[in-house]
Amino acid sequence: MSYSHHRRPYQHGHGYGYGHGHGHGHGGYGGGGSHSQQPQPSAASVAAAAAAAASAPAIDDEDASSVQQVVMEGLVVLKIAKHFHEEQMSGNRIVQGLLFGLVQDTRLEITNCFPFPRQSDDEEAANSGFGIVPVAEFDAAKYQLDIQKNFRQLNADYLTVGWYQSSAGAEFLTKEFVESQFHYQVGVLDAVALVYNPLKTSRGQLEFRAFRLSPALVKLMSDEDNVNQQRMKELMVNQANLVQELPVIIRNSHLANVLLAELEDSVASNAFSGLSLAMGSQLERQMKSLSTGCEVILQESSKYLNYQRSYKKYEKALQDQKMKIVYENQQRAQRGEEPLSEDAIDKSKLPKIGNPPVALDPVLVSAQLHQFTSELLETVGQSYGKLMLAEGIQFN
Amino acid sequence: LFQAKVSSSSGALQLRVHPTVLLQIIDFYERRPENQLQVIGTLLGSSDSKGQVTATNCFSVPHSESEDSAAIDIEFQRAMFELHRKANPGESIVGWFSTGSSIRAPSVLIHDYYSRECRRPVHMLVNAEVDDSRPRMQFRAFVSTTFGVPGKTKGTMFVPIELRNEAYDDEAAACRVMQSGRNNIKRAVSLLDDVGNVRSAARNLSRMLEQVIAYVDSVLTDQQKADPQLGRSLAQLVNTVPKLDKETFDDMVNSSTKDLLMLSYLTTMIRTHLDFNEKLIAM
């Protein structure tokens, strides 16, 4: 028999996705860092998280996507790896691009992707080459539309199903990341953010992780003026349910598998590079990110404490003024005069309180720290295993 | 097949193809329009002055062909190239690919078009038609050269050149991981975590060691003739294992273990603090 299938010619239905999301600088504080794995990235834990989120008040079931698993095609894997490799040669450490594919039941299939343009040299200089910034004249929406138009002519899936970003560890989880993913998720309900870890790939281990914002967080971010402590408590947003991780698998067509088998001898890579015992530099980098993260969270909590203190002062002063008015009104009532309203409080005499700290920031930082810790723990576990292995080899 | 010695004037001598290109061609081929037998498209990459052409990317171009004519969507070709150039300005057109088992008459016309898009285009032929009688895919590369009597009738001839597979380290690592998918009934490749990765590498290692031991045993028991070259590489292998006495090695392992334990202790502590902090704020 001949393996020459025609695969799903046209996928009509969904409109073009949201054209935003390109170009967020890499605002993370983590310097280096490495990679990580959520404690239990199983379908069960994701489902549990979704269930927990669904049971939270004020969240409708329609808000939750049905996607529970991400299936990538090998083509996408290679295109992203190639994109990163080529950009790395020209000094860019973070690459981003669009993902195209389709949703089938509970599976999100990513069948193609396309890189975002490289940032221009001027801006690179202005930004000291850190991350990708929006190119001034670059029209992300038009760019996306052009790709979709062309993909459609080629019978490729042209529904935008998210975006990808490279990250050498857990430091991707920044405000920019969350905001960008929010826009994609508002545009296309099932959109995911795919994070590629090039550092691990260089050690012979492929890592792609898919993330979505939890329905609670989407709800929180939808009404912008209302992101405060109270609302966060109501929606039960905390670091553990900020983002949901979906399990990722790679699947190739039969013909693509034939090709990969064909390439087995000519395209060789060292299958044992992952067994290297030299993990010191990596652990050091992860520790550095961790300690920077701790500093940030310390700052955040002292900011919060300061705010609380000044807010208490304000409350007290306000109370004093109110008491004064009540007292005054009692006297006025005795004298038979009109009572004063509470508006008479002179706000300018009250102590100043600054803007309340952004409620989401510390949660985000602590979610990132959580990622750092699990990634560090995993590296430790791996190193330990390798040590045992070396011991076994040395004496047998 | 006509074999000719390629003179340096005919340009490219060797085509290096990245797996990303081949996998994309397979995808285009699987997604071709229903009534169409083959797909063609543009090869992107770079070429150097020594006649070495590297194809790192490609895209397919809608076309139709008959016995002796071909039409390709030039508009589309240009638009798609523009998009690719925005994404990666370093890649330029180096030639074109087609699926199929042999060069067809319209190929000359298409090659003509690409000769206007770049100097000395390379033509890659991918035979993706695989069945029981012909289980292997075939990749070939050609350049064109003119022949005939000067001033009289001239013809175009496709001369085969060497084709090599090449990959970035990242691509090669990805290919290796994905190769496990072909033994899986669902064709699924799951991504291993850190420890799983070590385990699978260790398993591979022990399998290979068993193979080597089996070979050495069979030579020692005279079941197999010793191969001096193999022997030499085995000796080299044995010599690369560092000779450490038990104490030094134990010291090394112990200090590393202590470091790791301290790290995991610290990390767990930070984590507990984090959880604690959050609970406090939420109160």
Side-chain angles (χ1 to χ4, degrees):
Chain A
M1 73 173 267
S2 144
Y3 294 114
S4 45
H5 311 287
H6 285 281
R7 286 189 295 173
R8 25 182 138 78
Y10 272 81
Q11 294 288 335
H12 285 292
H14 294 271
Y16 295 125
Y18 202 79
H20 178 92
H22 163 69
H24 16 84
H26 193 254
Y29 45 79
S34 167
H35 58 289
S36 118
Q37 202 91 33
Q38 203 110 322
Q40 307 109 0
S42 66
S45 75
V46 172
S55 67
I59 290 166
D60 317 323
D61 281 355
E62 305 107 64
D63 284 357
S65 157
S66 59
V67 171
Q68 279 169 16
Q69 189 186 38
V70 174
V71 181
M72 294 172 71
E73 261 185 40
L75 169 69
V76 181
V77 175
L78 282 183
K79 271 176 107 171
I80 296 176
K82 165 190 179 297
H83 183 199
F84 176 80
H85 186 93
E86 285 171 354
E87 288 299 306
Q88 186 193 35
M89 289 194 292
S90 53
N92 252 336
R93 286 199 296 130
I94 291 148
V95 300
Q96 290 172 331
L98 287 164
L99 299 172
F100 299 95
L102 71 163
V103 180
Q104 285 203 322
D105 304 327
T106 57
R107 286 199 318 272
L108 178 74
E109 297 193 6
I110 304 172
T111 59
N112 217 327
C113 65
F114 207 87
F116 274 130
R118 184 183 300 179
Q119 101 195 70
S120 74
D121 290 343
D122 312 346
E123 263 147 337
E124 206 161 36
N127 267 276
S128 59
F130 206 73
I132 295 172
V133 293
V135 184
E137 335 72 274
F138 175 69
D139 185 349
K142 186 177 173 297
Y143 184 70
Q144 183 175 1
L145 219 64
D146 283 347
I147 299 168
Q148 286 173 318
K149 224 163 57 196
N150 287 338
F151 272 15
R152 196 170 148 163
Q153 274 204 50
L154 295 176
N155 287 352
D157 299 308
Y158 56 88
L159 167 71
T160 313
V161 291
W163 56 297
Y164 68 84
Q165 184 189 319
S166 66
S167 165
E171 71 237 23
F172 62 88
L173 197 61
T174 60
K175 204 167 175 183
E176 289 80 10
F177 177 87
V178 169
E179 271 164 10
S180 177
Q181 173 61 13
F182 173 71
H183 286 296
Y184 277 98
Q185 229 165 300
V186 167
V188 180
L189 180 66
D190 297 308
V192 293
L194 197 66
V195 179
Y196 164 65
N197 188 335
L199 203 73
K200 276 201 179 179
T201 309
S202 66
R203 280 190 281 122
Q205 179 186 358
L206 209 52
E207 187 182 271
F208 282 96
R209 304 173 72 194
F211 292 96
R212 292 173 47 77
L213 304 186
S214 66
L217 183 59
V218 172
K219 196 97 185 159
L220 181 78
M221 289 177 78
S222 314
D223 33 30
E224 285 170 21
D225 318 323
N226 214 4
V227 184
N228 57 27
Q229 208 74 43
Q230 198 55 41
R231 185 92 176 120
M232 278 176 69
K233 246 185 243 177
E234 252 174 67
L235 292 166
M236 307 205 312
V237 174
N238 55 38
Q239 57 83 11
N241 68 8
L242 219 51
V243 290
Q244 301 169 344
E245 181 166 3
L246 301 172
V248 179
I249 63 163
I250 302 170
R251 182 176 298 158
N252 284 306
S253 70
H254 290 296
L255 210 52
N257 272 327
V258 174
L259 172 71
L260 285 171
E262 199 73 47
L263 293 177
E264 190 164 14
D265 295 328
S266 51
V267 176
S269 83
N270 183 1
F272 303 112
S273 49
L275 284 182
S276 161
L277 280 173
M279 299 296 284
S281 63
Q282 196 193 334
L283 283 171
E284 204 178 304
R285 194 165 41 218
Q286 286 176 342
M287 297 255 295
K288 231 176 242 166
S289 327
L290 197 60
S291 73
T292 334
C294 285
E295 263 163 43
V296 173
I297 206 147
L298 211 67
Q299 279 168 14
E300 286 293 335
S301 56
S302 74
K303 243 194 255 172
Y304 183 72
L305 279 178
N306 276 339
Y307 173 74
Q308 240 177 1
R309 214 171 294 141
S310 60
Y311 188 77
K312 266 188 196 134
K313 246 186 234 164
Y314 173 85
E315 283 267 274
K316 193 171 172 298
L318 193 71
Q319 217 55 44
D320 287 351
Q321 294 273 357
K322 276 186 188 162
M323 289 296 285
K324 234 185 232 167
I325 289 179
V326 170
Y327 180 68
E328 175 107 21
N329 280 349
Q330 277 173 358
Q331 286 190 332
R332 278 172 183 243
Q334 280 173 2
R335 293 198 297 260
E337 287 172 35
E338 280 285 298
L340 280 173
S341 77
E342 284 199 5
D343 296 340
I345 297 172
D346 188 1
K347 285 255 161 75
S348 62
K349 274 192 189 147
L350 293 172
K352 288 226 162 30
I353 47 165
N355 290 327
V358 182
L360 204 53
D361 285 2
V363 185
L364 208 59
V365 178
S366 98
Q368 193 179 23
L369 270 179
H370 252 266
Q371 294 279 354
F372 279 140
T373 51
S374 28
E375 125 179 285
L376 194 64
L377 282 178
E378 187 155 340
T379 316
V380 167
Q382 191 202 38
S383 308
Y384 199 68
K386 282 195 272 196
L387 266 183
M388 298 283 116
L389 196 69
E391 211 173 2
I393 288 175
Q394 191 74 24
F395 294 115
N396 283 322
Chain B
L1 196 73
F2 188 77
Q3 291 283 345
K5 184 102 184 122
V6 187
S7 64
S8 58
S9 64
S10 55
L13 291 163
Q14 190 188 52
L15 175 67
R16 299 178 169 213
V17 192
H18 281 243
T20 314
V21 175
L22 296 172
L23 212 60
Q24 283 194 85
I25 294 177
I26 297 299
D27 185 64
F28 298 139
Y29 179 69
E30 287 175 318
R31 290 173 189 275
R32 70 189 182 277
E34 204 129 14
N35 49 7
Q36 207 170 308
L37 289 172
Q38 310 299 350
V39 287
I40 67 141
T42 305
L43 289 176
L44 299 172
S46 60
S47 54
D48 65 10
S49 53
K50 291 191 199 103
Q52 210 164 73
V53 177
T54 312
T56 48
N57 209 346
C58 69
F59 58 87
S60 105
V61 179
H63 87 301
S64 63
E65 60 180 80
S66 62
E67 279 292 297
D68 50 2
S69 71
I72 63 174
D73 192 338
I74 294 175
E75 208 63 4
F76 182 90
Q77 203 285 130
R78 294 247 162 88
M80 202 64 170
F81 177 54
E82 270 314 304
L83 271 178
H84 276 87
R85 213 171 47 178
K86 258 185 212 160
N88 188 350
E91 285 174 341
S92 50
I93 298 178
V94 292
W96 66 289
F97 68 84
S98 165
T99 57
S101 55
S102 61
I103 291 174
R104 306 175 294 280
S107 296
V108 179
L109 298 169
I110 302 172
H111 202 81
D112 239 26
Y113 166 73
Y114 279 98
S115 309
R116 288 194 291 277
E117 293 294 319
C118 72
R119 249 170 54 85
R120 304 230 172 256
V122 178
H123 173 44
M124 180 165 71
L125 198 61
V126 176
N127 192 356
E129 208 60 50
V130 190
D131 55 34
D132 292 341
S133 64
R134 231 183 39 74
R136 300 201 56 169
M137 274 185 197
Q138 205 179 11
F139 318 102
R140 283 177 292 168
F142 302 89
V143 288
S144 81
T145 177
T146 50
F147 71 103
V149 189
K152 293 270 172 65
T153 344
K154 280 196 175 170
T156 308
M157 181 170 69
F158 282 97
V159 185
I161 58 166
E162 195 191 343
L163 183 144
R164 273 183 51 191
N165 290 309
E166 192 191 64
Y168 299 133
D169 295 345
D170 315 49
E171 285 177 322
C175 281
R176 191 178 50 71
V177 173
M178 289 194 294
Q179 256 139 20
S180 68
R182 64 169 192 259
N183 300 325
N184 185 307
I185 192 96
K186 281 183 175 159
R187 308 195 304 274
V189 183
S190 39
L191 301 171
L192 296 171
D193 61 3
D194 279 9
V195 180
N197 199 48
V198 171
R199 196 186 301 137
S200 99
R203 205 176 293 140
N204 277 340
L205 192 64
S206 82
R207 200 170 50 224
M208 284 164 91
L209 282 176
E210 268 164 33
Q211 241 170 37
V212 170
I213 290 167
Y215 169 78
V216 172
D217 282 349
S218 74
V219 169
L220 286 179
T221 53
D222 285 335
Q223 283 164 3
Q224 204 171 335
K225 226 174 143 244
D227 181 346
Q229 206 172 351
L230 217 58
R232 263 197 294 279
S233 32
L234 275 177
Q236 218 169 30
L237 191 72
V238 171
N239 282 332
T240 51
V241 179
K243 293 254 181 310
L244 293 171
D245 57 87
K246 188 153 173 37
E247 264 146 58
T248 333
F249 189 80
D250 276 350
D251 268 1
M252 196 188 85
V253 170
N254 278 342
S255 74
S256 297
T257 310
K258 270 183 211 150
D259 284 354
L260 290 176
L261 282 178
M262 183 204 62
L263 258 182
S264 78
Y265 169 73
L266 272 178
T267 316
T268 321
M269 194 174 72
I270 290 175
R271 187 169 241 207
T272 319
H273 266 272
L274 271 179
D275 290 340
F276 193 59
N277 191 31
E278 192 175 49
K279 286 267 151 31
L280 276 181
I281 287 182
M283 259 188 338

